[in-house]
Amino acid sequence: MFPTLNDIRQAAERIRPYAHHTPVLTNASLNEKLGAQVFLKCENFQKVGAFKFRGACNAVYSLSDAEAARGVSTHSSGNHAQALALAAKIRGIPAYIVMPSNAPTVKKDAVAGYGGIITFCEPTLEARESTLAKIAQETGAAVIHPYNNEKVIAGQGTAALELLDEIPDLDVIIAPVGGGGLLSGTSIAATEIKKGIRVIAGEPEMADDAFCSMQAGKIIASENPKTIADGLLTSLGDLTFPIIQQRVEQIVTVSEAGIIESMKYVWERAKIIIEPSSAVAIGVLWEKKIDLSGLKVGIIISGGNVDLGKLPW
Amino acid sequence: MFPTLNDIRQAAERIRPYAHHTPVLTNASLNEKLGAQVFLKCENFQKVGAFKFRGACNAVYSLSDAEAARGVSTHSSGNHAQALALAAKIRGIPAYIVMPSNAPTVKKDAVAGYGGIITFCEPTLEARESTLAKIAQETGAAVIHPYNNEKVIAGQGTAALELLDEIPDLDVIIAPVGGGGLLSGTSIAATEIKKGIRVIAGEPEMADDAFCSMQAGKIIASENPKTIADGLLTSLGDLTFPIIQQRVEQIVTVSEAGIIESMKYVWERAKIIIEPSSAVAIGVLWEKKIDLSGLKVGIIISGGNVDLGKLPW
């Protein structure tokens, strides 16, 4: 079932005691540089440093007590893993996390720090899924997919809900797209709350499977994508793709240079730490492939988890 | 004349159309690490990326039209220069800025970007002052000292005013101390608004002239200080010192390692860019030389202007 605006509103109530209501920041230099009035919804200030806590928290707290007692499990390249581990820790249940062996150190440490029980696997979708299936069978833990899960999608949509509550007259909302959980939740919230609002996604040129999927009218899987935006390596799911097809105006690809330049500019001017995946959303305006000049543009800053020892400049 | 709380309230009215009302952020990891309830007053999000805009803006808008027409001038290692240049630009008057030749590139570029007319000099207090005197004589511009100026002090005090308005039950306020403009403005606002509040300053061990001045009961000038906290190299003034003597409980020195560790931790966990001078205030809690455990501590995050090409880790 596709989540509805009502599901997103219920998610907002469910996660309210645990998640941050994040601030919306504006910056004069950024507006001038991007040629639009930009409103940054700062999910980098969210618990675990990413929007992913919203979806994970909604999924964990949607379980019955009996289900929850057996724990939760997932595979994730990073932020979803941290998010699920923390949500499980708050509810007092175990979280079994399958992570690719090449995940950033800072993300591995964070998952362990939140009490997640980690199993490493090869960095392929196949290895992740088979490892996860084995663990779920052994433990009986509920599998919480990082994005192809209606509770997760509804949770991710709560960021846009808050943003539109604060800035109701946005013309456009931009979010990055990887597996499509944030984008589909955002697009449901935005288009249901405000008829005519434009929802646009940013995607790395080097991991443009969602762009290709939209062109083809069917899911094109990403194959060994290589991009600095390591949160956006995954392919769309059968739940997220039709939502995106129906509600997202277009997907704009962003070059690696555009991602890095956008990221550095936001650090320098807005004084906030954003991760490359967030810079992909800024990059849509930065590279000016489409004309959004003068419009009021909300941007979901998806997260701020960066290894400060390995900066790309 | 020493500024009063009323002067600070008037400054707040005067700068309201131009300065940001900055957010106060909290962070669970930071609270746990520092052992206190910490409230970050984010002047890194202020115009020009530092609290200095408050004082400069108050000084510029306190001039009569006839005075303003001749422009303003100052010497500064960076943030005050940017602040004065921008405040002057907004009022439509020239700003003559004397900068030490070794100021960070990012700060030189920013001053030029705000339309400041820069003259470089040797990086000594003597060279700065003689160069400035010459320029002021030639142009008739009003000299706006970076800190030893009552309008500047009153302007800087507006950050603490806003912080206490939002979090009225603070036990302690911590600010960094260089020339003492921020600290004296903060201490006037805090102690007048809330009797019994403790005002504590952080100062680099490697530039401990304010600490030494408090011990000696007279101004001890700093001599060629070398610290990463390049905003805190200056000595106290005859206006700031007596205010600090009267209203500041103590000055706590922070090691270079403590500054860098605090700075990195705040970047990693709070996801905000803070400059080393701001980390000095965090460092007071980080190094635990004094016991503030369990208290509600407001910290003025003085700024976020950092050269991202030269990080100290």
Side-chain angles (χ1 to χ4, degrees), chain A residues 107-166:
Chain A
K107 295 188 173 182
K108 293 177 192 169
D109 291 351
V111 169
Y114 292 124
I117 301 157
I118 304 178
T119 305
F120 290 108
C121 72
E122 290 300 300
T124 66
L125 190 60
E126 292 71 23
R128 290 180 184 203
E129 287 184 344
S130 62
T131 309
L132 176 59
K134 185 161 167 283
I135 288 170
Q137 196 170 28
E138 287 169 8
T139 61
V143 173
I144 311 295
H145 192 278
Y147 50 88
N148 210 44
N149 173 307
E150 64 183 280
K151 297 295 183 190
V152 169
I153 291 170
Q156 316 306 31
T158 61
L161 195 69
E162 290 176 7
L163 174 56
L164 278 160
D165 195 46
E166 195 165 335

Side-chain angles (χ1 to χ4, degrees), chain A residues 21 28 59-60 66 76 79 93 111 170 174 183 202 216 220 229 232 279 286 293:
Chain A
H21 185 115
V60 163
S76 163
N79 285 337
I93 63 176
V111 169
L170 290 179
I174 303 178
L183 180 59
I220 308 286
L232 307 180
W286 183 270
S293 53

Side-chain angles (χ1 to χ4, degrees), chain A residues 269-271, chain B residues 22 41-46 48-51 272-275 278 301-305:
Chain A
R269 297 306 178 104
K271 311 299 180 189
Chain B
T22 54
K41 177 63 174 170
C42 287
E43 290 299 298
N44 51 338
F45 298 156
Q46 188 49 266
V48 315
F51 74 91
I272 58 174
I273 307 267
I274 67 169
E275 61 191 30
S278 304
I301 296 295
S302 51
N305 290 328

Side-chain angles (χ1 to χ4, degrees), chain A residues 1-310:
Chain A
M1 283 289 291
F2 298 130
T4 62
L5 178 59
N6 195 43
D7 291 327
I8 295 173
R9 292 199 192 282
Q10 285 178 2
E13 287 306 310
R14 198 173 282 126
I15 72 176
R16 191 187 305 280
Y18 315 109
H20 286 307
H21 185 115
T22 54
V24 177
L25 294 184
T26 60
N27 184 271
S29 303
L30 196 60
N31 287 348
E32 198 176 328
K33 185 78 178 178
L34 300 179
Q37 265 185 282
V38 172
F39 299 86
L40 306 178
K41 176 63 173 170
C42 286
E43 290 298 298
N44 50 338
F45 297 155
Q46 188 49 267
K47 292 273 174 74
V48 315
F51 75 90
K52 295 271 187 180
F53 183 71
R54 295 176 181 270
C57 190
N58 188 46
V60 163
Y61 278 92
S62 294
L63 295 174
S64 71
D65 286 347
E67 290 168 326
R70 293 191 294 274
V72 288
S73 62
T74 197
H75 67 77
S76 163
S77 63
N79 285 337
H80 175 65
Q82 296 179 39
L84 194 68
L86 178 59
K89 184 183 175 185
I90 294 172
R91 190 161 178 183
I93 63 176
Y96 306 96
I97 311 292
V98 176
M99 294 186 83
S101 51
N102 64 350
T105 306
V106 67
K107 295 188 173 182
K108 293 177 192 169
D109 291 351
V111 169
Y114 292 124
I117 301 157
I118 304 178
T119 305
F120 290 108
C121 72
E122 290 300 300
T124 66
L125 190 60
E126 292 71 23
R128 290 180 184 203
E129 287 184 344
S130 62
T131 309
L132 176 59
K134 185 161 167 283
I135 288 170
Q137 196 170 28
E138 287 169 8
T139 61
V143 173
I144 311 295
H145 192 278
Y147 50 88
N148 210 44
N149 173 307
E150 64 183 280
K151 297 295 183 190
V152 169
I153 291 170
Q156 316 306 31
T158 61
L161 195 69
E162 290 176 7
L163 174 56
L164 278 160
D165 195 46
E166 195 165 335
I167 317 287
D169 58 343
L170 290 179
D171 301 303
V172 182
I173 287 196
I174 303 178
V177 60
L182 176 64
L183 180 59
S184 49
T186 300
S187 68
I188 294 167
T191 57
E192 292 297 323
I193 291 169
K194 190 180 177 201
K195 297 295 170 204
I197 195 169
R198 299 167 64 186
V199 181
I200 295 173
E203 186 176 40
E205 265 176 26
M206 303 292 284
D208 65 347
D209 57 286
F211 176 83
C212 294
S213 301
M214 288 280 266
Q215 300 287 316
K218 60 178 183 180
I219 297 176
I220 308 286
S222 72
E223 287 189 16
N224 288 319
K226 293 244 188 320
T227 167
I228 187 175
D230 63 335
L232 307 180
L233 298 175
T234 44
S235 310
L236 297 176
D238 58 11
L239 196 51
T240 56
F241 179 57
I243 298 171
I244 292 168
Q245 268 190 312
Q246 187 193 339
R247 297 178 187 267
V248 174
E249 176 190 300
Q250 63 176 311
I251 293 174
V252 177
T253 59
V254 180
S255 72
E256 294 297 292
I259 297 170
I260 294 170
E261 288 163 15
S262 300
M263 178 172 158
K264 192 175 182 199
Y265 193 85
V266 169
W267 285 41
E268 280 177 350
R269 297 306 178 104
K271 311 299 180 189
I272 57 175
I273 307 265
I274 67 169
E275 59 190 31
S277 301
S278 304
V280 171
I282 304 285
V284 169
L285 286 160
W286 183 270
E287 295 196 319
K288 298 197 167 33
K289 285 188 192 170
I290 58 170
D291 183 13
L292 300 174
S293 53
L295 298 181
K296 296 186 88 161
V297 181
I299 297 182
I300 313 284
I301 296 296
S302 52
N305 291 329
V306 176
D307 190 337
L308 293 178
K310 279 193 203 171

Side-chain angles (χ1 to χ4, degrees), chain B:
Chain B
M1 282 289 291
F2 297 131
T4 63
L5 178 58
N6 195 43
D7 291 327
I8 295 173
R9 292 199 192 282
Q10 285 178 1
E13 287 306 310
R14 200 174 281 126
I15 72 176
R16 191 186 306 279
Y18 316 109
H20 286 307
H21 185 115
T22 54
V24 176
L25 295 184
T26 60
N27 184 272
S29 304
L30 196 61
N31 287 347
E32 198 177 328
K33 185 79 179 178
L34 300 179
Q37 265 185 284
V38 172
F39 300 86
L40 307 178
K41 177 63 174 170
C42 287
E43 290 299 298
N44 51 338
F45 298 156
Q46 188 49 266
K47 291 274 174 76
V48 315
F51 74 91
K52 295 270 186 179
F53 183 71
R54 295 176 181 270
C57 190
N58 189 44
V60 163
Y61 278 92
S62 294
L63 295 174
S64 70
D65 286 347
E67 289 168 327
R70 293 191 294 273
V72 288
S73 62
T74 197
H75 66 77
S76 163
S77 62
N79 285 338
H80 175 64
Q82 295 179 40
L84 195 67
L86 178 59
K89 184 184 176 186
I90 294 172
R91 191 159 177 184
I93 62 176
Y96 305 96
I97 311 292
V98 176
M99 294 187 82
S101 51
N102 63 350
T105 306
V106 66
K107 295 189 173 181
K108 293 177 192 169
D109 291 351
V111 169
Y114 292 124
I117 301 156
I118 305 179
T119 305
F120 291 108
C121 72
E122 289 301 299
T124 66
L125 190 58
E126 293 71 22
R128 289 179 184 204
E129 288 183 344
S130 62
T131 309
L132 176 59
K134 185 160 166 284
I135 287 169
Q137 198 169 26
E138 287 168 7
T139 61
V143 173
I144 310 295
H145 192 278
Y147 49 89
N148 209 46
N149 172 308
E150 64 183 279
K151 297 295 183 190
V152 170
I153 292 171
Q156 318 304 33
T158 60
L161 194 69
E162 289 175 8
L163 174 56
L164 278 160
D165 194 46
E166 193 165 336
I167 318 288
D169 58 342
L170 290 179
D171 301 303
V172 182
I173 287 195
I174 303 178
V177 60
L182 176 64
L183 180 58
S184 48
T186 300
S187 68
I188 294 166
T191 57
E192 292 296 324
I193 291 170
K194 191 180 177 201
K195 297 295 169 203
I197 195 169
R198 299 166 64 187
V199 181
I200 294 173
E203 188 176 40
E205 265 176 25
M206 303 293 284
D208 66 347
D209 57 285
F211 176 82
C212 294
S213 301
M214 287 280 265
Q215 300 288 316
K218 61 178 182 180
I219 298 176
I220 309 285
S222 71
E223 289 188 16
N224 288 321
K226 294 244 191 315
T227 168
I228 187 174
D230 63 336
L232 307 180
L233 298 174
T234 45
S235 310
L236 297 176
D238 58 11
L239 195 52
T240 56
F241 179 57
I243 298 171
I244 291 168
Q245 267 189 312
Q246 187 195 337
R247 297 179 187 266
V248 174
E249 177 189 301
Q250 63 178 312
I251 293 175
V252 176
T253 59
V254 180
S255 71
E256 294 296 293
I259 297 169
I260 295 168
E261 287 162 15
S262 299
M263 179 172 157
K264 192 175 182 198
Y265 193 85
V266 169
W267 284 41
E268 279 176 350
R269 298 306 180 105
K271 312 297 182 191
I272 58 174
I273 307 267
I274 67 169
E275 61 191 30
S277 301
S278 304
V280 171
I282 303 285
V284 169
L285 287 161
W286 183 271
E287 295 196 320
K288 298 195 165 40
K289 284 188 190 169
I290 59 171
D291 183 12
L292 299 174
S293 52
L295 298 181
K296 295 185 89 159
V297 181
I299 298 182
I300 313 283
I301 296 295
S302 51
N305 290 328
V306 175
D307 189 338
L308 294 177
K310 280 193 202 171
L311 296 175
W313 49 76

